[in-house]
C-alpha cells in the first residue's frame, strides 16, 4: 500500500523542521515524486488546514514551510490538585503508613 503524498510531504517537513517550498519540491523530485504544481499547492494547503504545517511568504515566489510541533503544557495548578487528591486518597485509609 502506497503512503499518501500528504504524509510524505509532512514527514519531509517534520524531518528538517523548516524549509522553503522550492527546497521541498526539489527533495520530492529527487525521491522520484513528480507532483503537478496545482496538486503540490493543494497538498500544502491541506496540511496547513490540518494544523500540521505553517506556510508563510518570504518573497513573491518563495514560501517558508515549517512543521508545527505541539508541546504539551503542564499546568502547575492541575499538578498540585492531582498530588492533593492522591494524598487525600491515601489518607482515607486509616492505619496506612507510607
Amino acid at each position: 500500500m502506497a503512503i499518501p503524498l500528504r504524509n510524505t510531504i509532512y514527514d519531509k517537513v517534520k524531518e528538517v523542521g523548516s524549509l522553503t517550498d522550492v527546497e521541498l519540491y526539489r527533495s520530492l523530485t529527487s525521491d522520484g515524486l513528480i507532483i503537478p504544481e496545482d496538486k503540490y499547492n493543494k497538498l500544502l494547503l491541506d496540511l496547513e488546514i490540518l494544523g500540521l504545517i505553517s506556510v508563510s511568504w518570504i518573497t513573491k515566489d518563495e514560501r517558508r514551510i515549517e512543521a508545527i510541533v505541539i508541546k504539551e503544557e503542564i499546568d502547575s495548578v492541575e499538578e498540585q490538585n492531582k498530588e492533593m487528591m492522591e494524598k487525600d486518597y491515601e489518607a482515607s485509609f486509616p492505619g496506612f503508613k507510607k
Side-chain angles (χ1 to χ4, degrees), residues 80-98:
Q80 289 173 353
N81 288 343
K82 187 177 173 185
E83 287 174 19
M84 285 302 290
M85 287 173 57
E86 287 173 359
K87 287 179 185 174
D88 289 347
Y89 177 74
E90 290 172 1
S92 70
F93 294 100
F96 179 77
K97 302 263 187 212
K98 197 170 183 182

Side-chain angles (χ1 to χ4, degrees), residues 6-57:
R6 187 171 37 195
N7 294 17
T8 304
I9 290 173
Y10 177 66
D11 289 342
K12 284 202 171 286
V13 174
K14 191 175 170 187
E15 188 178 297
V16 294
S18 172
L19 71 167
T20 67
D21 60 332
V22 175
E23 293 168 334
L24 176 59
Y25 194 80
R26 277 193 209 125
S27 176
L28 292 166
T29 304
S30 70
D31 289 350
L33 296 170
I34 309 299
I35 305 169
E37 187 176 353
D38 60 335
K39 186 169 184 171
Y40 177 66
N41 289 328
K42 169 86 169 77
L43 289 165
L44 291 178
L45 180 63
D46 288 348
L47 288 168
E48 189 170 23
I49 289 170
L50 290 170
L52 299 172
I53 64 170
S54 170
V55 179
S56 55
W57 289 96

Side-chain angles (χ1 to χ4, degrees), residues 69-82:
V69 179
I70 300 168
K71 295 179 182 172
E72 193 173 313
E73 292 183 26
I74 298 173
D75 185 357
S76 61
V77 173
E78 189 66 37
E79 278 296 310
Q80 289 173 353
N81 288 343
K82 187 177 173 185

Side-chain angles (χ1 to χ4, degrees), residues 51-67:
L52 299 172
I53 64 170
S54 170
V55 179
S56 55
W57 289 96
I58 302 173
T59 66
K60 188 177 90 169
D61 300 321
E62 198 169 16
R63 296 170 287 185
R64 164 83 38 215
I65 302 169
E66 297 175 289

